[in-house]
Amino acid sequence: MQVYKLFFQVLRKQKGQIIMYLVIFLSVALAAASQGEKTGGSTFSPTTYKFAVMDADNSEISRALITYLEQGNEKVHIEDKKEVIQDEIYNRSISCVLRIPSGFFESYLSGSENNKMEVIGVPGTIYKESFEQMITQYMNLVRGYISGGFSVKEALAKAGKADEKTVDVNVLETGGKTTHSYVYYFFAYVPYILLCLCIVGISPVLVVLHKPQIRERIQCSSFAKTNRETILGTLSAGLLFGILYLVCAVIGARERVFTVQGGLHCLNLLAFLMVALGIVFLIGQVMKKAETVSMVSNVIALGMSFLSGVFVPIEFLGDGIIKAAHFLPAYWYIMGARLIDSGNYQSSPDLLWRYMGIEVLFAACFVCLGLALARAKRQTKQTA
């Protein structure tokens, strides 16, 4: 067991970095779980604006416009001074100020560009642009009704009623619920956390073991025995990371982990742990410098997490991305986690085991590919 002992001697030197990553990622997972639990029901609410009006025209159309803008918004009174207006907008006490010049009514009816209204706000912000859009929409409606033969009074009345038509907005539900449980949000980040931990923690050890001077010392052992002890060390380190995460899950989620769903989440975590270790073993056969481990970790973990529904919910991914995600093990982990959280695993348990089985198959493929590369490298050195 010399290779196995050497494995953990080298792994101890990575403990500081491992603890740092574990603390950071667990903090993120806890924050996401807490935030996800607070977010429930319908999360949509219409945007309202606080605005002020400087109406120098005081005409029929200017008063109707102000009444229209007050629907769903809040009109406030401020002094008509440049410094006051700038301070109120700067402090975000109001979103915009509408200035209607004297003679605007006659200018508007005649189609003249003189005496135009002015919207004062922070340039380029959504508040100013949205407010201008509301004004433009209303004025275009009024002009359209007047062009259609209605009087000014009738046009103003019809344009004002046009905004009374509302549309009910409902948040789309998935699996009969709009939010997930606390435990789901805690375990949803497992692919990213385990990939980073395993790659950053174990890959440098494999790189050290594959250095020529180290390899020459252990070549007295058979090829099968060397790889068996290397795989055993990788599995042991991975299980240690998994246990550490589960301990933290118990601390963070407490009794919620000690349920049927919590137990299934743990099994799903174990299945993906095999995937992470398979990827680590494969990387260990390819990488030659420990300095590139962090870069590889970010590319693999972040790329797989963004494309598989870890960071971005699957509902917001395009069809093409979802089809491509079928070739990534993290996608099947998330599908299993969603099935567990929805409770549908009770009616279709075979589907859950199928998802976990696919994860294990991915892990086996990575290990077999790593073994093939290791054997090819050994044969190349023997023939050289």
Side-chain angles (χ1 to χ4, degrees), residues 66-99:
I66 295 170
T67 302
Y68 171 80
L69 294 175
E70 287 179 317
Q71 298 177 14
N73 300 307
E74 181 182 352
K75 179 188 171 186
V76 298
H77 176 74
I78 62 173
E79 291 185 75
D80 189 4
K81 294 182 179 180
K82 183 177 180 181
E83 295 78 8
V84 174
I85 293 174
Q86 289 178 340
D87 289 341
E88 293 291 332
I89 293 177
Y90 177 80
N91 294 323
R92 299 300 191 269
S93 300
I94 58 175
S95 301
C96 298
V97 173
L98 174 62
R99 188 181 294 279

Side-chain angles (χ1 to χ4, degrees), residues 55-172:
D55 186 8
D57 191 46
N58 195 24
S59 59
E60 186 179 11
I61 194 169
S62 66
R63 291 192 297 270
L65 173 60
I66 295 170
T67 302
Y68 171 80
L69 294 175
E70 287 179 317
Q71 298 177 14
N73 300 307
E74 181 182 352
K75 179 188 171 186
V76 298
H77 176 74
I78 62 173
E79 291 185 75
D80 189 4
K81 294 182 179 180
K82 183 177 180 181
E83 295 78 8
V84 174
I85 293 174
Q86 289 178 340
D87 289 341
E88 293 291 332
I89 293 177
Y90 177 80
N91 294 323
R92 299 300 191 269
S93 300
I94 58 175
S95 301
C96 298
V97 173
L98 174 62
R99 188 181 294 279
I100 305 176
S102 177
F104 166 74
F105 189 18
E106 292 78 6
S107 177
Y108 175 78
L109 293 178
S110 64
S112 172
E113 293 294 324
N114 298 325
N115 300 323
K116 294 179 63 177
M117 289 185 294
E118 178 187 9
V119 176
I120 305 171
V122 180
T125 61
I126 189 172
Y127 306 107
K128 184 174 184 293
E129 293 178 357
S130 298
F131 201 72
E132 289 176 336
Q133 186 177 9
M134 284 190 290
I135 295 172
T136 302
Q137 180 181 359
Y138 178 79
M139 300 308 295
N140 287 340
L141 280 173
V142 173
R143 189 182 297 278
Y145 282 123
I146 292 175
S147 300
F150 292 93
S151 66
V152 174
K153 187 174 182 179
E154 291 173 334
L156 293 175
K158 288 184 174 293
K161 291 180 180 179
D163 197 52
E164 294 178 357
K165 297 180 180 179
T166 60
V167 177
D168 293 331
V169 178
N170 296 316
V171 178
L172 292 177

Side-chain angles (χ1 to χ4, degrees), residues 31 41 162 172 174 177 183 208 220 248 299 333 343 365 380 383:
L172 292 177
T174 303
K177 56 199 296 188
V183 175
V208 171
C220 55
C248 296
V299 171
Y333 172 87
C365 291
T380 301
T383 57

Side-chain angles (χ1 to χ4, degrees), residues 35-324:
Q35 185 64 32
E37 187 180 40
K38 293 177 184 177
T39 305
S42 176
T43 56
F44 173 82
S45 59
T47 303
T48 59
Y49 300 94
K50 285 186 177 182
F51 70 100
V53 179
M54 309 301 173
D55 186 8
D57 191 46
N58 195 24
S59 59
E60 186 179 11
I61 194 169
S62 66
R63 291 192 297 270
L65 173 60
I66 295 170
T67 302
Y68 171 80
L69 294 175
E70 287 179 317
Q71 298 177 14
N73 300 307
E74 181 182 352
K75 179 188 171 186
V76 298
H77 176 74
I78 62 173
E79 291 185 75
D80 189 4
K81 294 182 179 180
K82 183 177 180 181
E83 295 78 8
V84 174
I85 293 174
Q86 289 178 340
D87 289 341
E88 293 291 332
I89 293 177
Y90 177 80
N91 294 323
R92 299 300 191 269
S93 300
I94 58 175
S95 301
C96 298
V97 173
L98 174 62
R99 188 181 294 279
I100 305 176
S102 177
F104 166 74
F105 189 18
E106 292 78 6
S107 177
Y108 175 78
L109 293 178
S110 64
S112 172
E113 293 294 324
N114 298 325
N115 300 323
K116 294 179 63 177
M117 289 185 294
E118 178 187 9
V119 176
I120 305 171
V122 180
T125 61
I126 189 172
Y127 306 107
K128 184 174 184 293
E129 293 178 357
S130 298
F131 201 72
E132 289 176 336
Q133 186 177 9
M134 284 190 290
I135 295 172
T136 302
Q137 180 181 359
Y138 178 79
M139 300 308 295
N140 287 340
L141 280 173
V142 173
R143 189 182 297 278
Y145 282 123
I146 292 175
S147 300
F150 292 93
S151 66
V152 174
K153 187 174 182 179
E154 291 173 334
L156 293 175
K158 288 184 174 293
K161 291 180 180 179
D163 197 52
E164 294 178 357
K165 297 180 180 179
T166 60
V167 177
D168 293 331
V169 178
N170 296 316
V171 178
L172 292 177
E173 297 185 359
T174 303
K177 56 199 296 188
T178 58
T179 57
H180 296 285
S181 65
Y182 182 92
V183 175
Y184 171 82
Y185 284 106
F186 195 90
F187 280 93
Y189 291 88
V190 160
Y192 178 63
I193 295 173
L194 284 186
L195 281 173
C196 286
L197 275 179
C198 291
I199 294 175
V200 171
I202 302 176
S203 292
V205 180
L206 298 179
V207 171
V208 171
L209 292 178
H210 292 154
K211 286 184 177 180
Q213 57 270 35
I214 303 296
R215 176 60 65 181
E216 290 173 2
R217 292 185 181 182
I218 60 178
Q219 273 185 346
C220 55
S221 300
S222 66
F223 174 77
K225 183 179 179 181
T226 300
N227 279 295
R228 185 168 59 250
E229 293 186 18
T230 302
I231 293 175
L232 182 60
T234 303
L235 286 173
S236 300
L239 286 174
L240 177 62
F241 294 157
I243 292 172
L244 285 173
Y245 189 84
L246 288 178
V247 169
C248 296
V250 172
I251 296 174
R254 297 181 178 86
E255 69 279 358
R256 305 178 197 185
V257 177
F258 299 104
T259 61
V260 175
Q261 288 182 318
L264 291 175
H265 277 301
C266 292
L267 286 177
N268 199 23
L269 179 148
L270 184 62
F272 191 83
L273 177 61
M274 299 297 103
V275 174
L277 295 179
I279 292 175
V280 166
F281 184 75
L282 176 60
I283 291 175
Q285 308 302 324
V286 178
M287 291 182 60
K288 297 181 179 180
K289 295 182 179 180
E291 292 78 10
T292 59
V293 168
S294 295
M295 180 185 67
V296 173
S297 170
N298 288 328
V299 171
I300 295 177
L302 286 174
M304 194 178 296
S305 298
F306 274 111
L307 296 176
S308 302
V310 177
F311 292 153
V312 181
I314 292 177
E315 293 84 6
F316 299 109
L317 298 177
D319 293 337
I321 295 178
I322 292 178
K323 289 180 180 178

